[in-house]
């Protein structure tokens, strides 16, 4: 009897079992929370997990409108939607991406990047349409002055606060997914960079009451990122398909210009003309000269860093294209030489007046053609 050998199949099965156990535990948590919602005793506790907290009604010309502001209980709501996001992540992976991977037969490196781009393309597409709907219904697109008027924007509509809670939940769920997706150590620093950047920008806009500006900037970023990951998906299916990268490059540069322009217009000029210029965290007002300078500096540094990485990526891609073209130009030379050698061997003579002469000067005997 030979000892049983454990290979790749056992590791794949163990990873799938861990994912299934984690998925089942998340589903159990969600099921328990929905069971306890109808009960009067536990309804208040369950609503903390499901619905945004800190609501208050304000009088307006249209009547009473319910607004929300942030607080410590938002962490509980974010925790619940982190689990919901993990379940949705597993559904997209199991029923969409894994089926495509079985047909493409990609390598392990390409497969992990294909899964990453597939998940992010689905998320950015959802964020793009959702952010566009919120910005259009709230009037942020039709009236750009609302980005800085009546600052601080302490009271938020339901859809704006819920949008920010879901955004924070998604990028926080990406941290444990690095373990459950078995991401390689070489890929972890790169993924941690953009996860931390998203959390800093979204959390900063949410806590500093710059939610209107942050919503527009997230919408622009979602458009650029969606095009990039769709281009990567098409590239993994066919390496010759690189046209979408050119469209993404144009959109990326335009997005960086719009981001800087809106940031300077809102923070540098709009908030500078506001009536109140006092630092009052209790009322959510951070409109001081130092605050505006720090925020603009951070925005400029982040956008400059992204442009530097973009230029580095484009230069590397240009060098690879030049190497491929140079290799293609060198290939036909030996091929042509081989073809000429074959022709000489086949003829084994010289041409004269359109006829092939043998080496001794005599013409070869013509072949007889059989007539049926």
């Amino acid at each position: 009897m030979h000892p049983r050998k454990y290979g790749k199949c056992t590791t794949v099965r163990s990873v799938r079992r861990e994912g299934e156990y984690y998925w089942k535990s998340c589903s159990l948590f969600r099921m328990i929370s929905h069971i306890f919602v109808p009960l009067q005793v536990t309804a208040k506790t369950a609503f903390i997990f499901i619905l945004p907290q800190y609501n208050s009604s304000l009088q307006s010309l249209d009547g009473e409108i319910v607004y929300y502001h942030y607080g410590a209980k938002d962490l509980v709501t974010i925790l619940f939607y982190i689990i919901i996001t993990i379940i949705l992540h597993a559904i997209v992976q199991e029923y969409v991406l894994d089926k495509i991977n079985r047909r493409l037969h990609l390598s392990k490196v390409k497969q992990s990047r294909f899964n990453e781009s597939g998940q992010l393309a689905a998320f950015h597409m959802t964020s793009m349409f959702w952010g566009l709907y919120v910005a259009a219904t709230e009037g942020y697109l039709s009236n750009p002055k609302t980005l800085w008027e009546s600052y601080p924007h302490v009271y938020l509509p339901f859809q704006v606060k819920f949008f920010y809670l879901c955004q924070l939940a998604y990028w926080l769920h990406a941290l444990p997914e690095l373990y459950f997706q078995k991401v390689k150590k070489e890929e972890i620093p790169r993924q941690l960079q953009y996860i931390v950047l998203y959390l800093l920008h979204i959390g900063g806009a949410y806590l500093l009451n710059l939610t209107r500006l942050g919503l527009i900037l997230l919408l622009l970023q979602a458009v650029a990122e969606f095009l990039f990951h769709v281009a990567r998906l098409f590239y993994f299916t066919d390496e010759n398909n690189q046209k979408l990268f050119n469209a993404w490059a144009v959109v990326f540069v335009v997005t960086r210009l719009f981001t800087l322009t809106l940031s300077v217009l809102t923070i540098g000029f709009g908030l500078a003309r506001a009536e109140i210029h006092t630092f009052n965290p209790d009322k959510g007002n951070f409109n001081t000269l130092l605050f505006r300078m720090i925020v603009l500096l951070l925005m400029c540094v982040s956008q400059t860093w992204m442009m530097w990485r973009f230029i580095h990526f484009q230069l590397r891609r240009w060098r690879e294209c030049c190497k491929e073209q140079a290799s293609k130009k060198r290939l036909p030379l030996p091929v042509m030489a081989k073809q000429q050698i074959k022709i000489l061997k086949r003829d084994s003579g010289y041409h004269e007046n359109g006829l092939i002469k043998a080496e001794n000067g005599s013409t070869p005997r013509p072949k007889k053609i059989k007539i049926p």
Side-chain angles (χ1 to χ4, degrees):
M1 295 292 292
H2 295 282
R4 187 178 179 182
K5 296 181 180 180
Y6 294 92
K8 296 181 180 179
C9 296
T10 56
T11 57
V12 172
R13 287 175 184 173
S14 62
V15 171
R16 287 181 178 177
R17 285 176 184 173
E18 289 180 4
E20 288 176 359
Y21 293 152
Y22 193 69
W23 191 2
K24 289 178 181 178
S25 63
C26 294
S27 300
L28 181 63
F29 179 82
R30 186 184 64 172
M31 182 180 65
I32 291 171
S33 64
H34 283 296
I35 288 173
F36 286 121
V37 166
L39 301 179
Q40 294 181 357
V41 179
T42 57
K44 293 182 180 180
T45 306
F47 281 129
I48 294 175
F49 289 92
I50 299 172
L51 296 177
Q53 301 301 306
Y54 304 104
N55 57 335
S56 58
S57 58
L58 299 176
Q59 292 290 336
S60 65
L61 298 175
D62 298 330
E64 285 189 356
I65 301 176
V66 179
Y67 288 98
Y68 296 83
H69 58 93
Y70 63 82
K73 292 181 181 179
D74 290 339
L75 297 175
V76 182
T77 310
I78 291 172
L79 176 62
F80 176 77
Y81 284 101
I82 286 174
I83 298 173
I84 298 297
T85 308
I86 291 172
I87 296 170
L88 295 175
H89 186 111
I91 291 172
V92 173
Q93 184 67 40
E94 182 70 21
Y95 294 100
V96 179
L97 297 177
D98 286 348
K99 291 183 178 180
I100 298 174
N101 283 325
R102 294 191 194 102
R103 295 181 179 180
L104 295 177
H105 303 288
L106 299 173
S107 62
K108 289 184 178 180
V109 177
K110 288 186 177 180
Q111 188 175 356
S112 64
R113 293 184 178 179
F114 182 86
N115 293 333
E116 177 192 359
S117 292
Q119 295 285 349
L120 290 173
F123 168 72
H124 286 300
M125 182 181 66
T126 306
S127 299
M128 182 174 59
F129 287 107
W130 191 5
L132 181 62
Y133 173 77
V134 174
T137 53
E138 294 297 328
Y140 302 156
L141 297 177
S142 59
N143 187 12
K145 291 183 179 180
T146 56
L147 298 179
W148 61 82
E149 284 182 347
S150 65
Y151 179 85
H153 308 137
V154 179
Y155 297 102
L156 307 175
F158 172 81
Q159 57 182 358
V160 175
K161 180 170 182 176
F162 190 63
F163 178 82
Y164 271 91
L165 293 180
C166 291
Q167 290 285 326
L168 291 171
Y170 181 86
W171 292 110
L172 286 173
H173 112 280
L175 296 174
E177 284 293 340
L178 295 176
Y179 170 75
F180 288 104
Q181 293 291 325
K182 299 296 180 181
V183 179
K184 290 186 177 181
K185 293 181 180 180
E186 295 82 7
E187 293 288 328
I188 290 177
R190 179 184 64 84
Q191 296 191 22
L192 279 177
Q193 283 180 357
Y194 66 77
I195 291 172
V196 172
L197 275 175
Y198 271 104
L199 288 174
L200 288 176
H201 281 75
I202 298 170
Y206 186 66
L207 295 175
L208 297 176
N209 297 315
L210 292 171
T211 51
R212 299 179 182 180
L213 175 64
L215 180 64
I216 301 299
L217 297 184
L218 281 174
L219 174 61
L220 294 173
Q221 182 67 18
V223 174
E225 290 295 311
F226 173 71
L227 278 176
F228 172 71
H229 291 291
V230 170
R232 284 185 75 185
L233 291 176
F234 279 100
Y235 174 76
F236 290 136
T237 55
D238 184 10
E239 293 185 356
N240 295 323
N241 193 352
Q242 298 184 5
K243 293 181 180 179
L244 283 176
F245 281 110
N246 298 327
W248 164 73
V250 176
V251 174
F252 183 86
V253 175
V254 173
T255 302
R256 302 282 74 79
L257 292 175
F258 269 98
T259 300
L260 286 174
T261 304
L262 283 176
S263 300
V264 173
L265 181 65
T266 303
I267 300 172
F269 294 97
L271 295 182
R273 296 179 180 180
E275 297 179 356
I276 303 173
H277 295 276
T278 57
F279 182 77
N280 192 353
D282 296 333
K283 294 183 178 180
N285 194 347
F286 304 93
N287 190 11
T288 60
L289 179 61
L290 181 62
F291 161 76
R292 295 195 298 271
M293 294 296 292
I294 292 173
V295 173
L296 282 177
L297 179 63
L298 292 175
M299 290 296 297
C300 292
V301 169
S302 63
Q303 299 304 310
T304 305
W305 178 75
M306 293 175 72
M307 278 299 300
W308 178 81
R309 291 198 61 183
F310 171 77
I311 294 170
H312 180 72
F313 171 77
Q314 292 295 329
L315 288 174
R316 185 180 62 185
R317 186 163 162 250
W318 177 70
R319 289 171 185 171
E320 291 176 356
C321 292
C322 290
K323 288 181 181 179
E324 290 180 359
Q325 291 178 358
S327 62
K328 287 180 180 179
K329 289 180 180 179
R330 293 173 184 174
L331 282 175
L333 295 175
V335 174
M336 290 295 293
K338 289 181 180 179
Q339 290 178 355
Q340 290 177 359
I341 291 170
K342 289 180 180 178
I343 292 170
L344 290 173
K345 286 183 179 179
R346 187 180 61 189
D347 294 345
S348 66
Y350 63 94
H351 293 268
E352 183 178 342
N353 296 327
L355 298 175
I356 300 174
K357 295 286 186 179
E359 293 180 355
N360 55 4
S362 61
T363 58
R365 183 178 295 178
K367 294 182 179 180
K368 293 182 179 181
I369 300 173
K370 295 181 180 180
I371 301 173

